[in-house]
Amino acid sequence: MTQQGLKATGTPDIAAERAGGQTSVEAPAELELVGVSKEFHSRSGSVVALKDVNLTIRRREFVALVGRSGCGKTTMLRILAGLTHATRGNVLAGGRPLWRDGGRDPETVGRLGIVFQDAHLFPWYSVEENIALPLKLRGVGKAERLARAHELCALVGLSGFERSYPRELSGGMRQRAAIARALSYRPGVLLMDEPFGALDALTREKMNLELQSLALASESTVVLVTHSIREAVFLADRVVLLSPRPGRIRSITEVDFPRPRPLEVEAEPRFQEIVRTLRRQLDEET
């Protein structure tokens, strides 16, 4: 179940896995970290957040990043998103460098959608206006962008709330709107940093089921940062465990339960075994 080392190779066709099928053909690489290190400098000194990270994420794969606070999970996600430049190493998206000529490659970055722990919705915009905003910034006409917003509201379970304002929504509904906004321009990759961390346990379970369905429906590649090992195992095709600072890949664990996964899968002995193994590895890192 668990692969030790720095690079994941031999990943099966994730699209077929999600549908419960089997194939020996690899899906093409969607994201790649090649020898990535990140060092932060301040007046008090330098901190190495990541060191020599190598990881290949396949198209339509769902990868979860776990590890203790300060291990570099969010830093890695921000590097994948092009929000932070790696100190050393290369980042590729769809085989193209994320950074070119000292700046971000617009075409490559345009393939990425990002969801943070806070929904960051504009309070003076309705749900449909928030979701359609990235399209408005891209010059898409009003009728087309609002039609897309309504389509996404239906996909994430917000039909009937298109003209509501963020203050009128629950926390889970605001996160659904944030996810819909990230999907508005049909990115190939959805990057998520603890998107359900502020939700209560029951809402979080429901959002996990909905995220799983959404990933299947949108056929997106998903990279999720989470502190919950159980959540990571429930959602992911592979769980990447990072060691404490400087962050390195401690292990990569394949999770081969067929999709869609019901909550009852968490009661299966094999599921619990994977969770126990990851927790033991996490404890060993302390």
Side-chain angles (χ1 to χ4, degrees):
M1 282 289 180
T2 303
Q3 173 186 346
Q4 303 290 340
L6 288 179
K7 188 166 184 178
T9 57
T11 305
D13 186 328
I14 302 304
E17 272 195 9
R18 285 185 174 181
Q22 297 293 329
T23 179
S24 59
V25 180
E26 283 192 352
E30 187 72 80
L31 293 170
E32 295 177 82
L33 297 173
V34 184
V36 165
S37 296
K38 179 61 180 178
E39 189 171 351
F40 292 99
H41 301 278
S42 67
R43 293 180 180 179
S44 58
S46 299
V47 173
V48 180
L50 295 171
K51 187 174 179 63
D52 298 328
V53 174
N54 295 278
L55 179 66
T56 297
I57 298 170
R58 299 290 173 185
R59 188 167 299 167
R60 299 183 185 177
E61 185 176 17
F62 197 127
V63 171
L65 306 178
V66 299
R68 296 197 176 277
S69 296
C71 71
K73 302 185 298 296
T74 293
T75 298
M76 184 185 296
L77 195 81
R78 291 178 64 84
I79 289 173
L80 286 170
L83 299 176
T84 299
H85 201 301
T87 306
R88 287 181 296 278
N90 296 311
V91 184
L92 304 176
R96 294 168 58 97
L98 196 59
W99 295 83
R100 300 179 65 185
D101 302 323
R104 300 188 302 172
D105 177 26
E107 182 177 338
T108 304
V109 172
R111 295 167 52 84
L112 310 175
I114 309 170
V115 180
F116 299 100
Q117 182 171 346
D118 191 316
H120 294 298
L121 300 177
F122 289 98
W124 55 86
Y125 284 161
S126 66
V127 167
E128 64 183 6
E129 290 170 331
N130 268 287
I131 293 172
L133 182 59
L135 298 178
K136 182 178 181 180
L137 297 175
R138 285 167 167 78
V140 177
K142 184 175 181 179
E144 182 180 347
R145 65 178 184 258
L146 289 182
R148 175 63 174 160
H150 281 240
E151 174 188 331
L152 286 167
C153 279
L155 184 64
V156 301
L158 287 176
S159 292
F161 292 91
E162 291 87 352
R163 297 192 177 182
S164 298
Y165 287 87
R167 64 180 178 273
E168 300 172 315
L169 305 179
S170 67
M173 294 170 75
R174 287 194 293 270
Q175 282 302 93
R176 290 193 195 112
I179 293 170
R181 181 178 58 190
L183 291 172
S184 63
Y185 50 93
R186 294 181 171 86
V189 180
L190 189 59
L191 304 170
M192 312 183 78
D193 188 7
E194 282 281 347
F196 310 137
L199 304 180
D200 64 84
L202 291 178
T203 303
R204 188 164 181 161
E205 279 188 351
K206 184 176 181 181
M207 291 300 296
N208 283 339
L209 290 170
E210 293 181 356
L211 176 58
Q212 177 184 214
S213 298
L214 187 64
L216 288 167
S218 65
E219 298 187 340
S220 298
T221 303
V222 183
V223 183
L224 170 75
V225 168
T226 177
H227 280 92
S228 170
I229 291 177
R230 185 171 293 275
E231 180 175 71
V233 176
F234 178 77
L235 288 170
D237 299 304
R238 288 187 298 156
V239 179
V240 178
L241 175 63
L242 297 181
S243 64
R245 188 182 299 133
R248 303 173 186 261
I249 295 182
R250 165 71 165 81
S251 67
I252 298 174
T253 302
E254 293 189 14
V255 184
D256 57 359
F257 293 104
R259 298 180 183 278
R261 298 172 184 170
L263 290 174
E264 289 74 19
V265 74
E266 297 184 2
E268 294 192 14
R270 197 153 53 91
F271 184 99
Q272 296 174 10
E273 177 190 350
I274 297 172
V275 171
R276 282 196 302 270
T277 299
L278 285 166
R279 282 180 177 159
R280 184 169 61 249
Q281 291 177 1
L282 199 62
D283 290 340
E284 289 171 358
E285 290 297 329
T286 61

